[in-house]
Amino acid sequence: MASHSIPHVFGIERSLSGKAWRWRGGNMALGGGAASLSDDIVAQLLLSRGVAREELDRHRTPTLREFLPDPSAFRDMDAAAERIAQAVLGGETITIYGDYDVDGATSSALMIRLLRMLGHDAGHYIPDRLLEGYGPSGEALVALAEQGSSLIVTVDCGAMAYEALAMAHAAGVDVIVVDHHKCAAELPQAAALVNPNRLDESDLGARHGHLAAVGVAFLLGIAVVRTLRLRGYFESRPEPDLRGLLDLVALGTVADVAALHGLNRAFVAQGLKVMARRQNVGMSALIDASRLTRAPACSDLGFALGPRINAGGRVGESTLGVRLLTTEDMDEAQAISAQLSALNDERRAIEAEVQEAAEAQLARQHNRSVLVLSGTGWHPGVIGIVAGRIKEKTGKPAIVIALDGESGQGKGSGRSISGVDLGAAIIAARESDLLVAGGGHAMAAGLTIDAEKLDALADWLDTRLAGAVQRASAEQVLPLDLSLAPGGLTPELVETLDRAGPFGVGWPGPKLAVGPVRLVKADLVGTDHVRVIASGDDGKSFKAIGFRMAESELGQSLLHGAKGRKLWLAGRAKIDDWGARPQAELHIEDAAWAD
């Protein structure tokens, strides 16, 4: 292992993308020989991600048995379970009110399928993103009550819905809130509010604040089944195996960019196994529509399956996702999946237009710590994606706001950088009367704003978050896990690294440095991807690709400035299985001169 006293990997203080290279844990220099794989790479990866040495065994293969908490540790969990059990036993009409994104769709589908397992049908209501906006509306809740619902369960929304829940209470309908977004000190009026991010949450519950709403819903499912068991409900009927719902939990968790450590990692690891069995008709059709010919991997949930579910809420019909994930009819599942794939293509085109318009405003905000970009006519369904792209390009928190010329208001979505809590800032801005509505969590937030307050909001955020952004950006670091010569980049190595997964936010995928190499070939793929073939001193070569980097300093250096020079390439090792036999390739995230 390299000494932690060495400040920079290979002495690289500033790479071609402006980053300092540092070891995440210790230096695993594999060289070019496969024999080096006998080292316990997986153990080192786990240790460098914060796992204590005595905890290695349970983290190697994360299971629910090892990580699942007692649901009763969460505030209001038992009250929520009791109320749902009462509704099941009494044959009450239940409606699940979900958000229009993937977490909302999977949470809604999980609750509906859970109740179906218990012999009870439930309806669903998913608001239209453009017409109704985020969260429960009082009008919709009252209408559901008038239509006969005596219990409404909101999932992935409701934590800040004071007025709507007060209207529901006045209408005589019970509402249970199942959410994970940040809460204020004052809670809305509800029969129960289950949210690990309540400010009064127990210590154990608060440790699970990284759960997506679908994870909280799964815990509620366990509590409901336990409550019914104690009441003798399963003496005459089989008790459901809730593990069959973990494919929904995995999809919602990854697509909502929840941190993949602890319980979430177990949810995703086990959920991928359930997904591979294709027991959910809608999920199976979605996998086929995504043109996957193998069992889905963790990355597929975020880049193939999730965006299709999201496309319904973004640019199409908001109920498509929950309908797909709850249907038992294969023909219907295939039709909805095809519709979602078409909507996803449409979403990409709309997104490109909004991104181009947003990027045109960047020059005027180069002194801002938080970028606030807005435009009339921008599609509200893609602003979150565009905010994420702007954040990645600039390294600053970004909020993209779609203005409505008729109402004089704008709907905004923000994405933050590590170390800057954007959700808390948006809640504070709402409490300071800068926003009509707003909330979120550390890395993402949503808001509604009167157009005349845009400049005031930008100034306020700049003042409040400038210090945090400056600290977070003071030294941009690329954490590396291992280094190797080109000959060490093999399919076997990729398989070994994957054993420490699943990877995502909070549990980063291994990054490795390969080199020193010379570029044999470098060219442009598509509009902005850079593809290279690199060769090392060991006589071995490999393929690598850098996505969306053609216009960056890094991309231009690879395309035009590396001829005859040696450099290190850094990124993620992946399997390229297009050829006759699988080959390992590198997905480039950075590079640095080696001479």
Side-chain angles (χ1 to χ4, degrees), residues 131-460:
L131 299 179
E132 299 175 85
Y134 170 76
S137 74
E139 293 78 7
L141 296 177
V142 170
L144 290 171
E146 292 172 346
Q147 294 162 17
S149 292
S150 57
L151 176 61
I152 299 171
V153 182
T154 72
V155 288
D156 196 32
C157 59
M160 304 285 284
Y162 300 97
E163 182 179 346
L165 267 61
M167 290 176 64
H169 180 75
V173 61
D174 286 339
V175 179
I176 293 172
V177 175
V178 180
D179 204 352
H180 69 131
H181 294 99
K182 284 185 176 294
C183 293
E186 179 187 355
L187 298 175
Q189 196 168 18
L193 195 154
V194 185
N195 184 337
N197 289 304
R198 287 175 54 151
L199 296 182
D200 62 346
E201 186 53 89
S202 68
D203 290 342
L204 177 59
R207 287 203 295 272
H208 290 85
H210 63 298
L211 293 180
V214 70
V216 182
F218 184 82
L219 293 176
L220 176 58
I222 295 173
V224 170
V225 169
R226 181 170 61 187
T227 301
L228 288 170
R229 184 191 307 125
L230 293 173
R231 294 197 180 190
Y233 188 70
F234 302 115
E235 291 177 359
S236 58
R237 63 183 302 122
E239 184 171 324
D241 184 353
L242 300 187
R243 290 175 297 181
L245 300 173
L246 287 172
D247 55 349
L248 295 170
V249 182
L251 177 56
T253 296
V254 173
D256 210 53
V257 203
L260 292 191
H261 56 77
L263 179 56
N264 275 349
R265 190 161 163 261
F267 275 152
V268 175
Q270 301 306 316
L272 287 170
K273 296 177 183 178
V274 175
M275 197 175 292
R277 295 197 288 268
R278 290 181 172 241
Q279 296 169 324
N280 184 315
V281 170
M283 191 79 76
S284 180
L286 183 65
I287 293 169
D288 290 338
S290 301
R291 296 185 290 276
L292 293 175
T293 57
R294 48 166 173 74
C298 187
S299 58
D300 296 320
L301 308 188
F303 294 103
L305 307 187
R308 284 171 166 78
I309 296 290
N310 251 336
R314 291 188 186 281
V315 298
E317 183 184 340
S318 61
T319 62
L320 288 174
V322 67
R323 284 170 50 202
L324 173 66
L325 297 173
T326 56
T327 186
E328 302 296 343
D329 184 306
M330 180 55 78
D331 290 338
E332 180 184 21
Q334 290 174 342
I336 295 176
S337 293
Q339 186 178 357
L340 286 172
S341 288
L343 288 169
N344 195 43
D345 291 339
E346 180 183 342
R347 184 269 306 167
R348 285 195 185 101
I350 295 171
E351 175 194 326
E353 293 177 4
V354 174
Q355 183 170 344
E356 182 179 0
E359 288 187 357
Q361 299 180 16
L362 290 177
R364 299 198 302 270
Q365 297 203 25
H366 68 280
N367 289 324
R368 290 280 192 191
S369 295
V370 179
L371 304 172
V372 180
L373 313 167
S374 62
T376 302
W378 290 1
H379 198 298
V382 301
I383 53 178
I385 302 174
V386 173
R389 299 261 192 251
I390 299 291
K391 182 261 295 188
E392 290 296 330
K393 181 172 184 174
T394 63
K396 296 179 178 181
I399 298 174
V400 177
I401 300 172
L403 298 174
D404 183 338
E406 294 185 7
S407 69
Q409 288 189 339
K411 299 287 187 182
S413 187
R415 298 294 182 268
S416 194
I417 60 176
S418 180
V420 180
D421 191 336
L422 186 60
I426 292 301
I427 291 174
R430 178 181 60 77
E431 293 172 345
S432 300
D433 294 325
L434 288 167
L435 301 174
V436 175
H441 46 79
M443 300 300 288
L447 59 88
T448 302
I449 186 172
D450 291 324
E452 67 267 19
K453 293 186 177 180
L454 274 174
D455 290 341
L457 174 67
D459 291 340
W460 188 90

Side-chain angles (χ1 to χ4, degrees), residues 74-124:
F74 295 80
R75 298 281 188 196
D76 278 8
M77 181 70 80
D78 289 342
E82 287 283 352
R83 183 63 186 91
I84 293 173
Q86 176 188 338
V88 170
L89 292 167
E92 298 180 47
T93 299
I94 304 175
T95 299
I96 309 302
Y97 192 117
D99 189 24
Y100 38 64
D101 68 359
V102 185
D103 194 15
T106 52
S107 300
S108 299
L110 185 146
M111 293 302 301
I112 291 168
R113 295 182 79 92
L114 165 70
L115 290 166
R116 200 179 285 169
M117 289 175 173
L118 298 172
H120 192 95
D121 288 329
H124 64 264

Side-chain angles (χ1 to χ4, degrees), residues 15-36:
S15 67
L16 291 176
S17 67
K19 294 183 175 67
W21 287 13
R22 296 188 186 276
W23 295 119
R24 193 191 309 275
N27 171 21
M28 290 186 286
L30 300 186
S36 299

